[in-house]
Amino acid sequence: MEVTFEKLSVASLSKVVEMVNDIFSDYVIPVKWDVFSFELDIRENSISLDDSFLMLVDDKEVGLCINCIRPPKARIDAFGILKEYRGHGYGMALLEYALDDLKWKNTNKTFLEVAQDDPAVSFYEKHGFRFNRFLVSYYLNEKVNETPWHLEDATAEEVYEMAVLNEKEKVRLPNWQREALSLKLSKERYNYQFVVEHGEKIGYVVWGVNSNGAYIIDTAPRGGKDYDRFLKKVIAYIQSELSPRSILIMNVPDNDSLYKACVSAGMKPFFNQLEMVKF
């Protein structure tokens, strides 16, 4: 059998989306991408199509690895082999090929996320990845007892300026998807708003709505002050505006201050992932 690799930059995006949906159809939370959302993800998560690959066996696409690059860091956004081709060493060959490519991109560590109980955890450990921290996804379907904040519209660039200060001051330890740069690159994909108290911009929230209710991409007080109260009042605002069936906050790192605030707000965990890293 002949094994070859093809850059995603020369592949059809519809083919890539179809592959991802097939590969992750049996995942803990099934993935359902479409071309439009994938194009937005490319920009928001710094996906490099030139450094992401389809794996072909005798000219048939059997797997893929989608990589994000922000030197000196990289991240594997999606990785997998079609179910019928697993167990034959193709995953090992694809991962080694992708990691070798990343060595030449001025990166010195690569991150990925995997469900806590997924057998793939041991696969990644065999290839040098180590546990970094837990990422916990939360939901809330009960009304919080708080007075809502006053919010004013902002731009992604304005939110970025406040978020990056929190990172520089070490009051946040965000994961890739809620880094300040991700918020900036998401542009007008979500709702971007400042939290205003006594005429002063004291924080921000980036959020959206889907068929299941509302979701918060990220929210933080400036300087990380009184995070627990801050989050409750953000949730109160969204509930007062929409009365959503539920509010989700996905993949919150267990060492980031947002994690404790989610627990304090009474949010319930429903999905745990491991963030793993290879140096």
Side-chain angles (χ1 to χ4, degrees), residues 79-93:
F79 177 92
I81 302 293
L82 289 173
K83 190 173 183 179
E84 59 268 32
Y85 286 89
R86 296 171 191 169
H88 299 286
Y90 295 131
M92 178 181 66

Side-chain angles (χ1 to χ4, degrees), residues 5 51 53 65 67 76 79 93-103:
F5 301 91
D51 300 290
F53 305 97
C65 183
N67 291 326
I76 296 177
F79 177 92
L94 176 57
L95 184 60
E96 290 178 351
Y97 186 89
L99 290 175
D100 187 63
D101 176 82
L102 290 175
K103 289 179 182 177

Side-chain angles (χ1 to χ4, degrees), residues 5-13 15-16 49-50 52 54:
F5 301 91
E6 179 180 283
K7 292 182 178 183
L8 292 196
S9 55
V10 299
S12 160
L13 290 187
K15 168 57 71 174
V16 174
L49 296 181
D50 276 336
S52 301
L54 284 174

